[in-house]
Amino acid sequence: MTHDARTEHAPVSLADTVDTAPDMNWYAWGDPAKAKELEPGLRELVSQVLRAETRDMPPVAAEDVELPVSRLDGPLTARFTEVLGAEHVIVDDAARLVHAGGKSTPDLLARRAGRAPAPDAVLYPADHDEVERVLALCSAERVAVVPFGGGTSVVGGVSPLDGGFRAVVTLDLRRLNRLVSLDAASLTAVLGAGVRTPHAEAMLAEHGLTLGHVPQSYEYATIGGYAATRSSGQASAGYGRFEDMVVGLRVATPRGTLDAGGAPASAAGPDLRRLFVGSEGTLGVITEVALRVRPRPKRVLDEAWSFPDYATGVDALRMLAQSDTRPTMARLSDETETFVNAALGGREAVPGCQAVLGFEGGDPEVEARAAVVREVMEAAGGTPLGPDPVAHWRETRFHAPYLRDTLLSAGILAETLETAASWSDLLPLYTAVVGALTGALDDDESGAVVQCHVSHTYATGASLYFTVATGAGEDPATRWDRAKRAASDAIVANGGTITHHHAVGTDHRPWMEAELGPLGGEVLRAVKSALDPEGVLNPGKLIPEA
C-alpha cells in the first residue's frame, strides 16, 4: 500500500474492549496501570522552559485521606436498601473516595493532599424504575443526589455537594449498561445511560453500526454523561455534536418520568429534549438515550497540512466549514502547540501551524471529498505533510490527561479550558485568553506556556481549546484558580461562550448569568422548581443563583 499526502486504514474493531476498563484512579485520570513518572530529561526540559524547579508532589495514601463520617443513619439506609438491595447501597470509604468528585486539577489537588468531600453513600440502581424511586425518596427525605456516569467531569460537575440537605448520595449509573433496542431500518439505537463508549461501540459494531462519538474522555465517559453535558467528539465536523445525535430521552425526576422526543421531527411546541441535554443532572436523571447511529465507515483517510501562521490556518478551516464538502475531523494547532506536539513525539517541528484532517465513509465517496478539501486547503495557503502527523495524533489522543497527572506529580500544573465564538471574534478571543493566562501565571514563581487548537468547526464559528503549563508554586490551587478566573473573564468579555463542551458544573457557574442573562437564569430556576421542587438534584451546579 502506497500513499502520498494521505493514508487510509480499516476502522479499529472494539469487539475485544467491551466494558473492561477498571475504575479510574482515585487521585488521577484513568487506568492506574497507565500512570507514569516524568522522565529525567523531560523533567529538566520542562523546568528550563517554565523557569520553575520541579519537585515531587506524591499523593497521600488512600487510607490517609480524611473523609467525612457518613451521615446516612440506620432508618435512611434501610429505606434505600428496600429499593436497591443491600449490596447496592455502599457506605465504605473506598467507594466513597472513588466518587469524591471529578478529574479537574482542583479536584485532584484536594484529593492528593488528603481532603475529599465524599458522598455519604454510593447507590447503584439497576434500571429506570429504581432511579425514579430513589429520587422520590431523596426528595421526601431531603437528601441531595448527584448522578455519576464515568466520573470524567473537569468542571466540578459530579462534586458531592450537599446543598444544605441532611446528606448527599452519589447515584452511580453503571448498571444501566444495556443496548435497550435497535432499529436498523431507522438507524436509531436506545442505550442505557451508564454504557461507556467502548462498550457502546462494541455492541453497535455487532450490527455494522457506529455512534462516531470520540471525545478525549472516550474510554470512561458514558452515554448519559454525554447527553447531560452536551459533549462534542473529535469527529464532530462529520458526525455532529452529541446533542445532534439525540433522538429521544427517558428522564427520571423527583416528580415522575418524562419521555421526550422520538419522532424524526416535530412542531409540537418547544423541544423538551433540549431541557435535559446539557442539564447536568440538575433537572432529572437521564436513564436512556435514543440515538442516531451510522453504518461503520469502510474507509478512513487522513491528511496533515501546515500553514505559515495561525490566522491563515483558521481562515482555511473557516472556508472548509462554510463549504458544501467537509472532512469528518478537522483540528488546527497554533504555533506553540505544533512545536510542543512535535517535541513530545520526537519529530522535527515544521514552521508555523499544523492541521490534521480525517475522512470517514465509503469508497469512492471518501476520496472524492478529500480531493475537494485538498483544493480548498491549497488555495488557502496550506502545504501537505502526509499522513504521519495524523497517525501520531490518533495513537496519542487519549494520553494528555495521563501526562497532566505525571506533570502534577512533578510539581507542574497542566490544565485545559475551552470556549467557542464566531469566526469574526475567534482570533481576538484567542489573543485575549492567551494574554489573560500568561498575565496570571508568568511571575516570580514560574513562567507559563499556553497553547491552543481549534477542535470543532461550524459554519458560523469554531471552538478554541487551550492547554496551559506552569510551575505549581507554593499554593497550586490558588495559582490555578487565579488563572482560570482571568481566562473566564476574558472569554466573557470577548464574545466567547463560557464552555463549548466541558459543561458548567461548579467551575463555570459564576459566569452563567452573563451567558444567559437575568431572565435566562430565572427560566432555568423555574424549570428546576417544577421538576425538582425540593432542589435535591445535583445542588450547586449549572443554574445561576437568584
Side-chain angles (χ1 to χ4, degrees):
M1 187 180 296
T2 59
H3 302 283
D4 42 29
R6 58 195 185 277
T7 190
E8 61 184 88
H9 51 80
V12 176
S13 171
L14 298 172
D16 295 329
T17 61
V18 178
D19 208 18
T20 58
D23 277 341
M24 284 210 282
N25 200 327
W26 65 268
Y27 65 85
W29 179 270
D31 184 351
K34 295 182 179 179
K36 296 180 180 179
E37 293 186 3
L38 193 62
E39 297 177 0
L42 186 54
R43 180 186 284 254
E44 179 62 26
L45 177 61
V46 169
S47 179
Q48 291 177 2
V49 170
L50 296 179
R51 296 184 286 103
E53 291 296 326
T54 60
R55 70 179 194 274
D56 290 337
M57 288 177 52
V60 302
E63 58 269 22
D64 292 331
V65 178
E66 298 176 6
L67 296 181
V69 176
S70 175
R71 294 169 290 182
L72 220 62
D73 58 31
L76 191 53
T77 300
R79 296 198 64 187
F80 283 125
T81 299
E82 284 178 20
V83 176
L84 303 175
E87 68 273 29
H88 302 304
V89 180
I90 309 299
V91 296
D92 68 64
D93 285 353
R96 294 170 63 214
L97 179 56
V98 169
H99 294 82
K103 299 299 181 181
S104 70
T105 289
D107 288 332
L108 301 183
L109 284 170
R111 248 170 277 159
R112 293 165 75 101
R115 303 183 304 276
D120 295 295
V122 183
L123 311 181
Y124 297 89
D127 54 30
H128 175 89
D129 290 343
E130 288 191 356
V131 172
E132 189 176 271
R133 291 172 65 191
V134 166
L135 296 187
L137 177 56
C138 287
S139 184
E141 295 291 340
R142 294 185 59 77
V143 173
V145 55
V146 178
F148 193 98
T152 62
S153 173
V154 292
V155 293
V158 293
S159 296
L161 305 181
D162 64 22
F165 295 102
R166 61 184 287 195
V168 54
V169 296
T170 290
L171 196 66
D172 189 312
L173 301 173
R174 69 179 62 192
R175 297 176 68 205
L176 281 68
N177 64 353
R178 297 187 304 118
L179 174 60
V180 179
S181 64
L182 176 68
D183 184 341
S186 304
L187 286 180
T188 59
V190 178
L191 288 158
V195 177
R196 290 193 283 200
T197 339
H199 188 193
E201 287 292 346
M203 291 189 290
L204 292 173
E206 293 180 4
H207 305 276
L209 300 170
T210 183
L211 186 58
H213 190 69
V214 187
Q216 194 169 67
S217 58
Y218 174 91
E219 297 164 299
Y220 282 90
T222 61
I223 296 299
Y226 290 143
T229 58
R230 296 178 75 179
S231 175
S232 193
Q234 294 162 349
S236 64
Y239 290 100
R241 290 167 60 89
F242 195 81
E243 63 198 77
D244 302 323
M245 305 172 188
V246 175
V247 176
L249 296 167
R250 193 166 204 218
V251 185
T253 80
R255 295 191 58 196
T257 293
L258 194 147
D259 290 296
S266 174
D271 186 350
L272 293 184
R273 289 174 300 177
R274 300 297 180 179
L275 281 177
F276 297 100
V277 174
S279 62
E280 301 183 31
T282 63
L283 305 179
V285 177
I286 296 168
T287 61
E288 293 178 4
V289 186
L291 293 161
R292 181 188 66 184
V293 293
R294 310 283 186 93
R296 290 179 68 79
K298 296 179 179 178
R299 287 187 65 187
V300 177
L301 185 153
D302 291 333
E303 300 183 344
W305 292 80
S306 68
F307 293 91
D309 53 61
Y310 202 42
T312 303
V314 166
D315 202 44
L317 262 60
R318 178 189 62 79
M319 293 168 65
L320 286 183
Q322 294 174 345
S323 71
D324 294 329
T325 303
R326 295 178 292 277
T328 308
M329 178 272 296
R331 299 165 69 87
L332 172 74
S333 296
D334 68 2
E335 291 90 342
T336 303
E337 186 169 281
T338 297
F339 177 83
V340 170
N341 286 344
L344 291 175
R347 307 187 313 276
E348 183 178 353
V350 296
C353 302
Q354 180 176 286
V356 292
L357 307 181
F359 302 84
E360 298 182 16
D363 188 20
E365 175 260 340
V366 162
E367 181 59 50
R369 284 167 53 211
V372 173
V373 168
R374 215 169 289 136
E375 292 180 1
V376 175
M377 299 295 272
E378 290 175 347
T383 301
L385 297 177
D388 289 349
V390 193
H392 179 263
W393 173 78
R394 289 189 184 276
E395 290 169 3
T396 61
R397 57 181 166 168
F398 302 136
H399 293 182
Y402 291 98
L403 177 59
R404 175 197 63 168
D405 296 331
T406 297
L407 290 168
L408 187 57
S409 293
I412 300 297
L413 296 179
E415 189 55 289
T416 63
L417 56 91
E418 38 73 66
T419 181
S422 67
W423 291 111
S424 297
D425 289 336
L426 202 68
L427 287 175
L429 175 61
Y430 163 76
T431 301
V433 175
V434 170
L437 288 168
T438 303
L441 294 171
D442 193 347
D443 56 22
D444 292 338
E445 285 193 299
S446 174
V449 171
V450 181
Q451 61 188 44
C452 181
H453 62 260
V454 172
S455 56
H456 306 275
T457 59
Y458 310 92
T460 58
S463 68
L464 293 172
Y465 193 97
F466 296 88
T467 301
V468 57
T470 187
E474 293 301 317
D475 186 351
T478 298
R479 186 170 175 80
W480 174 246
D481 180 71
R482 181 173 70 242
K484 183 65 183 283
R485 288 182 177 277
S488 298
D489 287 343
I491 285 169
V492 170
N494 288 274
T497 176
I498 194 59
T499 176
H500 171 262
H501 61 270
H502 280 176
V504 177
T506 58
D507 290 13
H508 296 140
R509 189 181 182 214
W511 291 271
M512 278 297 283
E513 183 161 320
E515 180 96 9
L516 300 175
L519 184 57
E522 187 176 333
V523 169
L524 274 186
R525 291 189 292 273
V527 173
K528 182 170 178 65
S529 178
L531 296 170
D532 176 25
E534 297 299 326
V536 297
L537 285 170
N538 215 8
K541 323 290 170 48
L542 176 66
I543 299 174
E545 294 184 83

